[in-house]
């Protein structure tokens, strides 16, 4: 009697209770199947009529732009038809708000910060594409950055939107176009700040010295492929020429005079740690470019003693990989000044101390252009660079030639745009 009374207070057995709950859930969910009949022994008659069964609903996931190597929209597997799905579709825009530690004392975002974001976007889309077909896994390594103009400054509090797309592939390299747009989230105003072209090569995860083949892409027009091939040949030739003139070194100058090359030249020493490196254990190209921009900014500030911002970066060539554990020396010197701009040559030398002791080697080289700004953001005249040695005079004339060539190209582009 006591056991029966306790059972009546406890309710139906747990197995029967589970069956009842299971029946109710089946009859009310959108499962696409008919509910159990009311006369089913596993389910007592419901107290109210069950709702009619609804057709099965499919979970629809949002579709985003993919590069080749993302899941193919036609089937849930790796894409096996390169170029026909999304090789030419851009990487979805990545947004990041600019913080005080991203900018200088005047509130302008460092050019190196933007260059690092550009390189990250390029590395993502090129690595995805290079792994789009079955084969040896790889990571895309930055080989070169074409001339990059900083069209307008970006400030603290603005949002940087970075997007990338693959524009050309050769047998062993990928060309990526990256665009950066700033957004004022208070007013909604948007403007393009940067357009950059980067070249990557796929390196095997099993053998870092092995360059793998790149899956081809399909072009909308034959002219696109011809133009891309022309750009590829030009950058290849320029890289060889740059590597041949990379024997220069920067030596310290005792008691230099103001506005001379020795007065403003600067160097930075950095130990490469794990946070600086890719999966292969080599330095991210974006990390190197950020350090180079810092050194170039110091050189420009020492020369003119005002607020300075990055105006453009000439082609950056990555000649050799920099391994984790290396000590790198980033050196910069003034090469040319116009009325309102300064050209600074920056190169990176690596000293390997871990695993592979070898002599110091030149890893990266580039030219940065800076402008001087007032507190109101207006361009200021730049003090003329005083050249003393024959090498300094030669570099000044070479810089002047690059300046005039860039100026003529910009004027031609403006005239072409006006005609259109």
């Amino acid at each position: 009697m006591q056991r029966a009374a306790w059972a009546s207070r406890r309710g139906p057995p747990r197995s029967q209770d589970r069956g009842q709950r299971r029946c109710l859930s089946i009859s009310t969910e959108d499962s696409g199947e008919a509910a159990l009949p009311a006369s089913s022994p596993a389910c007592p008659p419901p107290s109210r009529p069950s709702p009619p069964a609804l057709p099965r609903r499919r979970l629809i996931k949002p579709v985003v732009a993919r590069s080749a190597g993302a899941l193919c929209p036609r089937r849930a597997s790796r894409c096996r038809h390169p170029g026909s799905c999304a090789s030419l579709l851009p990487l979805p825009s990545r947004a990041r708000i600019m913080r005080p530690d991203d900018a200088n004392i005047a509130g302008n975002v460092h050019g190196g910060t933007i260059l690092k974001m550009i390189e990250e976007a390029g590395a993502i889309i090129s690595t995805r594409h290079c792994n789009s077909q079955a084969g040896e896994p790889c990571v895309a390594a930055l080989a070169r950055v074409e001339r990059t103009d900083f069209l307008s400054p970006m400030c603290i509090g603005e949002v940087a939107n970075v997007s990338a797309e693959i524009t050309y592939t050769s047998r062993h390299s990928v060309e990526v176009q990256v665009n950066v747009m700033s957004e004022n989230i208070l007013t909604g105003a948007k403007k393009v700040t940067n357009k950059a072209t980067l070249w990557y090569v796929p390196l095997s995860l099993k053998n870092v010295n092995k360059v793998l083949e790149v899956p081809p892409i399909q072009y909308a027009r034959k002219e696109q492929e011809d133009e891309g091939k022309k750009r590829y040949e030009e950058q290849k030739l320029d890289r060889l020429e740059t590597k041949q003139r990379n024997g220069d070194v920067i030596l310290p100058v005792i008691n230099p005079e103001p506005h001379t090359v020795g007065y403003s030249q600067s160097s930075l020493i950095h130990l490469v740690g794990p946070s600086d490196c890719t999966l292969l254990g080599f330095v991210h190209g974006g990390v190197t470019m950020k350090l180079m921009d810092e050194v170039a900014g110091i050189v420009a500030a020492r020369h003119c003693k005002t607020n300075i911002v990055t105006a453009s970066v000439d082609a950056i060539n990555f000649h050799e990989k920099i391994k984790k554990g290396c000590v790198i020396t980033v050196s910069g010197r003034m090469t040319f000044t116009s009325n309102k701009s300064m050209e600074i040559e920056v190169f990176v030398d690596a000293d390997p101390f871990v695993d592979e002791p070898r002599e110091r080697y030149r890893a990266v080289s580039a030219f940065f252009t800076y402008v001087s700004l007032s507190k109101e953001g207006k361009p200021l005249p730049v003090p003329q660079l005083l050249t003393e040695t024959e090498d300094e005079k030669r570099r000044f004339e070479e810089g002047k030639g690059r300046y005039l060539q860039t100026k003529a190209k910009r004027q031609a582009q403006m005239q072409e745009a006006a005609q259109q």
Side-chain angles (χ1 to χ4, degrees), residues 13-24 36 42-44:
R14 184 168 300 180
S15 59
Q16 180 180 351
D17 181 54
R18 281 200 302 266
Q20 182 176 355
R21 288 200 304 267
R22 183 168 61 250
C23 175
L24 291 176
L36 290 177
C43 179

Side-chain angles (χ1 to χ4, degrees), residues 139-167:
V139 172
L142 182 62
R144 176 182 168 90
V145 180
E146 299 290 358
R147 178 181 175 86
T148 304
D149 290 314
F150 290 75
L151 306 176
S152 60
M154 193 181 300
C155 302
I156 296 174
E158 293 184 335
V159 175
N161 294 280
V162 185
S163 59
E165 67 176 322
I166 295 175
T167 51

Side-chain angles (χ1 to χ4, degrees), residues 64-351:
V64 295
R66 298 176 173 88
S67 65
L71 289 180
C72 173
R74 299 182 186 176
R75 53 193 173 186
S77 62
R78 289 283 183 180
C79 178
R80 293 295 182 269
H81 28 74
S84 61
C85 281
S87 296
L88 296 177
L89 291 180
L91 182 74
S93 178
R94 304 174 65 225
R96 185 166 82 82
I97 192 167
M98 296 293 100
R99 303 182 301 268
D101 56 344
D102 296 320
N104 59 19
I105 57 175
N108 302 119
V109 176
H110 288 295
T113 301
I114 299 175
L115 289 172
K116 187 176 180 180
M117 292 190 296
I118 289 174
E119 196 277 330
E120 288 175 352
I124 291 172
I125 191 172
S126 54
T127 299
R128 281 179 178 174
H129 178 75
C130 293
N131 288 279
S132 62
Q133 291 184 337
E136 204 169 336
C138 62
V139 172
L142 182 62
R144 176 182 168 90
V145 180
E146 299 290 358
R147 178 181 175 86
T148 304
D149 290 314
F150 290 75
L151 306 176
S152 60
M154 193 181 300
C155 302
I156 296 174
E158 293 184 335
V159 175
N161 294 280
V162 185
S163 59
E165 67 176 322
I166 295 175
T167 51
Y168 178 76
T169 58
S170 67
R171 185 179 179 184
H172 295 294
S173 62
V174 182
E175 182 190 49
V176 180
Q177 179 72 39
V178 181
N179 296 325
V180 183
M181 178 175 291
S182 66
E183 176 187 0
N184 187 320
I185 56 178
L186 300 179
T187 63
K190 297 181 180 180
K191 57 185 177 181
V192 178
T193 60
N194 295 82
K195 292 183 178 181
T197 302
L198 304 91
W199 292 89
Y200 290 84
V201 293
L203 301 180
S204 170
L205 285 176
K206 300 178 181 179
N207 181 6
V208 296
N209 295 317
K210 181 180 179 181
V211 180
L212 303 179
E213 292 191 7
V214 177
I217 62 175
Q218 293 181 353
Y219 303 91
R221 294 178 291 105
K222 183 64 168 59
E223 292 78 7
Q224 291 180 344
E225 183 177 7
D226 295 338
E227 293 170 358
K229 187 175 182 180
K230 181 180 179 181
R231 294 191 300 270
Y232 168 76
E233 296 296 339
E234 289 176 351
Q235 66 87 24
K236 189 176 180 180
L237 180 61
D238 186 73
R239 286 192 67 203
L240 293 174
E241 294 177 353
T242 305
K243 196 169 184 178
Q244 292 174 357
R245 63 172 184 263
N246 265 344
D248 291 349
V249 294
I250 293 181
L251 300 176
V253 179
I254 307 299
N255 298 325
E257 294 293 328
H259 302 151
T260 60
V261 175
Y263 183 80
S264 59
Q265 68 182 24
S266 304
S267 296
L268 181 151
I269 298 176
H270 178 75
L271 174 63
V272 177
S275 61
D276 300 323
C277 298
T278 65
L279 296 175
L280 295 174
F282 295 97
V283 179
H284 281 288
V287 172
T288 306
M289 291 191 291
K290 191 173 187 297
L291 294 173
M292 296 172 73
D293 180 73
E294 289 179 6
V295 171
I298 293 173
V299 174
R302 280 181 171 176
H303 181 78
C304 58
K305 306 292 186 182
T306 60
N307 177 37
I308 47 88
V309 294
T310 312
S312 66
V313 182
D314 210 357
I316 303 178
N317 293 288
F318 293 78
H319 307 294
E320 291 194 44
K321 300 183 293 292
I322 303 174
K323 196 172 183 180
K324 178 176 62 178
C326 286
V327 173
I328 58 175
T329 303
V330 187
S331 306
R333 63 186 172 194
M334 190 83 63
T335 54
F336 170 76
T337 56
S338 65
N339 291 333
K340 294 183 179 179
S341 65
M342 301 161 278
E343 183 190 72
I344 297 104
E345 182 182 17
V346 184
F347 38 79
V348 181
D349 296 321
D351 286 305

